[in-house]
Amino acid sequence: MSAKINIPIEYHKQICELYLSGKGSPEIGKLFGVSRFIICKLLKSYNIEIRGFIDKLLKDKTFFKKIDSVNKAYWFGLLCADGCNTGVSFAIYLQELDKYIIQRFIKELKFSGDIKKQKRQLPTHQDKFGFAVSGREISKDLTKLGCPPRKSLILQFPNENQVPIEYINHFIRGYFDGNGSVDSKSSKEEMQVEISSSHKFAYSLSDLLRLK
């Protein structure tokens, strides 16, 4: 059952004006003694578009608007491998050995939040460290670049509009750091490189490496 808008109608105009002036739904909810969900429901009834929640701890909210640097290509590749885009936020957690990578990433993003710890599930596993960022816009940007929600089986290799050709090697480097491995064969003087991904991603990457 959906929640009722238990706010007297004489306050509706004031609430709409407060929201359109820039105040957030949680703040308005406190003023009128209701939850932010009730405020959002009221606003929607007046055809007012609800703003996405933006993490105030993230200083550079346009970081993934465009891949225009070596570092952005690397971080995007790493997110495609080990990150999670929910559509309203994104998160990434790496094993304890790679905690320094997380530290570099949050510094580049200008994210002032804390690094969180996820305890290992099995004795043979390591604890994981990472962070999560809330924000519809940056999540949309990641989706446009080719890192959508529930990407595991549908991830595709980025095109030149998403990751320019001059940065594609660095994208691959980031992806490899997340989902790649190198195995040395004791019986032969050779190394075996493995990358796990979706079928479409793997075939596209394989074709690109053959061209090189």
Side-chain angles (χ1 to χ4, degrees):
M1 184 181 293
S2 61
K4 294 181 179 180
I5 303 175
N6 55 344
I7 302 174
I9 195 167
E10 58 263 29
Y11 295 118
H12 288 197
K13 182 180 178 181
Q14 182 184 358
I15 289 171
C16 293
E17 289 175 347
L18 285 170
Y19 188 77
L20 292 173
S21 72
K23 289 190 180 297
S25 54
E27 184 180 359
I28 299 172
K30 287 181 181 179
L31 289 174
F32 291 89
V34 297
S35 71
R36 68 182 180 89
F37 300 104
I38 296 297
I39 297 297
C40 289
K41 186 176 178 66
L42 184 148
L43 294 168
K44 288 178 181 178
S45 72
Y46 286 92
N47 296 318
I48 295 176
E49 186 176 354
I50 306 302
R51 296 188 295 268
F53 176 73
I54 298 176
D55 200 319
K56 294 180 180 179
L57 300 174
L58 180 64
K59 303 303 179 186
D60 188 356
K61 299 174 179 64
T62 63
F63 189 85
F64 285 115
K65 281 288 182 188
K66 184 180 181 181
I67 301 300
D68 53 8
S69 71
V70 167
N71 286 356
K72 283 186 181 182
Y74 173 84
W75 296 125
F76 180 60
L78 186 66
L79 276 176
C80 284
D82 269 345
C84 173
N85 179 8
T86 69
V88 295
S89 65
F90 75 87
I92 183 168
Y93 282 82
L94 303 178
Q95 61 183 358
E96 188 171 8
L97 185 67
D98 296 325
K99 185 179 177 181
Y100 73 97
I101 296 177
I102 293 294
Q103 292 169 331
R104 290 178 182 175
F105 194 7
I106 64 173
K107 183 177 181 180
E108 184 110 10
L109 274 175
K110 298 177 183 176
F111 178 69
S112 57
D114 295 328
I115 294 176
K116 304 293 185 182
K117 178 181 178 180
Q118 287 184 348
K119 291 187 176 181
R120 58 184 178 180
Q121 300 296 314
L122 296 171
T124 54
H125 290 179
Q126 292 186 33
D127 292 333
K128 289 188 174 183
F129 292 85
F131 64 99
V133 174
S134 298
R136 290 182 186 275
E137 284 306 310
I138 198 165
S139 290
K140 284 182 181 178
D141 291 339
L142 286 170
T143 298
K144 288 178 181 178
L145 288 174
C147 183
R150 299 179 295 277
K151 62 181 169 55
S152 299
L153 299 178
I154 62 171
L155 184 69
Q156 297 188 39
F157 197 80
N159 59 45
E160 288 188 32
N161 291 324
Q162 294 166 320
V163 179
I165 192 66
E166 62 263 35
Y167 300 126
I168 201 66
N169 287 351
H170 303 285
F171 168 83
I172 295 171
R173 182 167 56 89
Y175 192 89
F176 182 82
D177 278 354
N179 271 353
S181 63
V182 178
D183 182 32
S184 59
K185 297 200 170 185
S186 57
S187 59
K188 298 179 181 179
E189 294 183 357
E190 62 181 36
M191 305 288 286
Q192 179 172 297
V193 177
E194 296 181 356
I195 293 180
S196 59
S197 186
S198 67
H199 281 90
K200 286 186 177 180
F201 186 102
Y203 282 126
S204 296
L205 176 57
S206 178
D207 289 342
L208 179 65
L209 293 177
R210 285 196 188 97
L211 290 174
K212 290 182 175 295

